[in-house]
Structures are given as C-alpha cells and as structure tokens.
C-alpha cells in the first residue's frame, strides 16, 4: 500500500539588502504618518476647523503649509536617500533622521492627552515608533564588508596578471 507523503519544500530565504529594508521601512512609516492624519479627519470638528482655516490651533497660512511640507519631506526623501546615498552617508542619515523623527511622532499624541481620541493617537505613535526602531537597528547594524581601495585592487590585478 502506497502512502502519499506530503512534499514540503522550504522557502528560500534570501538576504534582503539593508538599503531595501530601510526604504521599505520609511515607506511604511510614511503610510502610518499619512493614515493617522487621514483617519483623524473623522474626528468630530476637525473638518469644520480646517474649513475655517485652523489646524491644531494654528492658522492655516502659506507659512504653515511650507513648514508642514518641509517636515513631511524629510521622511519622504529618506525612502530615496536610503538607496541612493553611499552606504556610509545612508547609514548616518538613517540614524540621524530616524532619531529626530521620534519626537515628531510623539507630538501627535501630546495634544490628545485627556482627549477622547487618545488611544487612536497612541496606537499611531506606537506603530510609527516600532518602524523607527527597525530603521535605527538596521542602520546601526549595517553589515561591514572588506574595504577595497584602488591600490588594493591594483595589487590584486597585478598578482593575477603574473600567474
């Protein structure tokens, strides 16, 4: 009697480059950042305040919009900078920018202390902080390779040519 054995093949684990992980994490961070703001529109009174030109007790002006866009541009640009900058510069930029984003993420919940939407903002901040922690960890533990200089590469070519 033949019994069938289920054939299971393990999925191949491919090492994901740090740059790709960082770009994906910044993308996730921005999605949380954006969706917390979008879902907050459903909070009673938010749209009414926006329609009369007020956000978080700030008047909506061109200056406010420029500052808001500038602050949002930093993590948005980190998606591209994580993969475009040289490794050392990308590592430093990710460590610095992720660390600076922590207080900005926390700012979203501060205004809601004692408010009815506190748990929503705390969840949003917690999710953003988890992603920022991954960014810091991956940038901090960026794998190091053997340094190759032009001199070392030239020496290796010379040795190969002699053989």
């Amino acid at each position: 009697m033949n019994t069938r054995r289920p054939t299971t093949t393990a999925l191949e684990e491919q090492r994901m480059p740090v740059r790709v992980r960082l770009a994906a994490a910044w993308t996730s961070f921005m999605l949380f950042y954006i969706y917390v703001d979008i879902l907050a529109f459903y909070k009673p009174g938010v749209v009414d305040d926006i329609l009369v030109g007020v956000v978080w007790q700030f008047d909506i002006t061109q200056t406010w919009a420029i500052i808001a866009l500038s602050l949002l541009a930093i993590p948005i640009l980190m998606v591209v900078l994580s993969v475009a900058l040289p490794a050392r510069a990308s590592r430093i930029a990710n460590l610095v920018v992720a660390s600076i984003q922590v207080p900005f993420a926390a700012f979203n919940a501060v205004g809601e202390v004692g408010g009815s939407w506190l748990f929503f903002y705390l969840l949003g901040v917690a999710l953003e902080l988890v992603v920022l922690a991954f960014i810091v960890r991956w940038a901090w533990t960026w794998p190091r390779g053997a340094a190759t200089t032009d001199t070392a590469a030239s020496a290796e070519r010379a040795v190969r040519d002699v053989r």
Side-chain angles (χ1 to χ4, degrees):
M1 178 176 192
N2 285 340
T3 59
R4 285 189 178 185
R5 290 187 184 181
T7 56
T8 57
T9 28
L11 296 175
E12 181 183 347
E13 286 292 333
Q14 296 179 346
R15 186 165 175 90
M16 185 65 56
V18 176
R19 294 174 184 277
V20 174
R21 279 190 261 160
L22 291 169
W26 281 112
T27 303
S28 296
F29 175 80
M30 285 308 305
L31 288 170
F32 281 130
Y33 202 98
I34 291 165
Y35 275 100
V36 166
D37 285 348
I38 290 171
L39 291 172
F41 288 146
Y42 293 97
K43 182 179 164 184
V46 170
V47 173
D48 294 334
D49 286 347
I50 291 170
L51 291 174
V52 296
V54 177
V55 173
W56 303 309
Q57 302 175 3
F58 296 108
D59 290 335
I60 299 174
T61 63
Q62 181 171 246
T63 303
W64 175 87
I66 289 170
I67 291 169
L69 181 59
S70 299
L71 292 174
L72 287 169
I74 297 167
I76 290 169
L77 290 173
M78 286 308 297
V79 175
V80 118
L81 293 176
S82 294
V83 293
L85 289 173
R88 183 179 173 97
S90 180
R91 178 178 187 258
I92 292 168
N94 276 280
L95 288 170
V96 169
V97 173
S99 299
I100 290 172
Q101 286 299 314
V102 170
F104 284 106
F107 175 77
N108 285 327
V110 169
E112 284 298 316
V113 172
S116 61
W117 283 59
L118 177 63
F119 295 118
F120 166 75
Y121 285 103
L122 287 177
L123 176 60
V125 168
L127 293 169
E128 291 172 10
L129 291 176
V130 166
V131 175
L132 290 170
F134 277 116
I135 292 169
V136 169
R137 182 176 186 272
W138 291 331
W140 187 262
T141 60
W142 194 303
R144 299 188 185 277
T148 45
T149 62
D150 290 333
T151 309
S154 298
E156 287 178 31
R157 279 192 298 271
V159 169
R160 278 194 306 254
D161 290 343
V162 170
R163 292 181 188 170

